[in-house]
Amino acid sequence: MTCSIACRGVLNDGTLSDLIADGQVLGNASPESEVNALNAFFTPTGTFEASGATRDESPANTFDFTSAYVALKVGRQTAYIYNSAGATQTITYSGNPAGGLSHVTYVGTPGTPSSGPGNPPTPQVPLPAGVFLLGGALGALGVARRRT
């Protein structure tokens, strides 16, 4: 398999490798199981929804994709490829077309917070109560100073 620009394979531990991806045996592969596996790689930052996945049941050996990830189902294994360029990629699968690539699932949008381990979602951090207490104390000191 080759990518036209820059893509990386997803390994079991959620790290990325140049054009090498670990194959996952998912049993009955479906968009849901593929998205769940992808999310498990990047826990706790995995945030993909199965409803956002698109599946191509009869891909050609050469196809384009713009998604953040593509899952390639080859035999009993599913390999995940990360679109590290964030642009339109052309993948060429050079394996046996008859017994090889059965379907492709596209997941995520490049450039979104959930689009890769190098770009995890930014957690929303609430302002601690101490900020309001400090602001109130400084305001009270200012009022007290004016009175004297």
Side-chain angles (χ1 to χ4, degrees), residues 21-48:
D22 286 345
Q24 310 299 312
V25 178
L26 301 176
N28 185 13
S30 65
E32 291 78 17
S33 65
E34 291 165 347
V35 168
N36 288 340
L38 188 60
N39 285 338
F41 292 140
F42 305 119
T43 299
T45 61
T47 58
F48 294 111

Side-chain angles (χ1 to χ4, degrees), residues 40-116:
F41 292 140
F42 305 119
T43 299
T45 61
T47 58
F48 294 111
E49 296 292 329
S51 60
T54 304
R55 186 167 166 167
D56 181 355
E57 294 285 348
S58 55
N61 275 15
T62 298
F63 56 92
D64 295 333
F65 75 101
T66 56
S67 58
Y69 289 90
V70 62
L72 296 102
K73 179 72 168 59
V74 180
R76 295 186 60 227
Q77 308 255 329
T78 303
Y80 294 89
I81 307 299
Y82 172 52
N83 182 353
S84 55
T88 300
Q89 296 278 3
T90 300
I91 284 188
T92 302
Y93 172 74
S94 57
N96 179 2
L101 188 61
S102 67
H103 70 264
V104 175
T105 303
Y106 306 99
V107 181
T109 304
T112 59
S114 58
S115 68

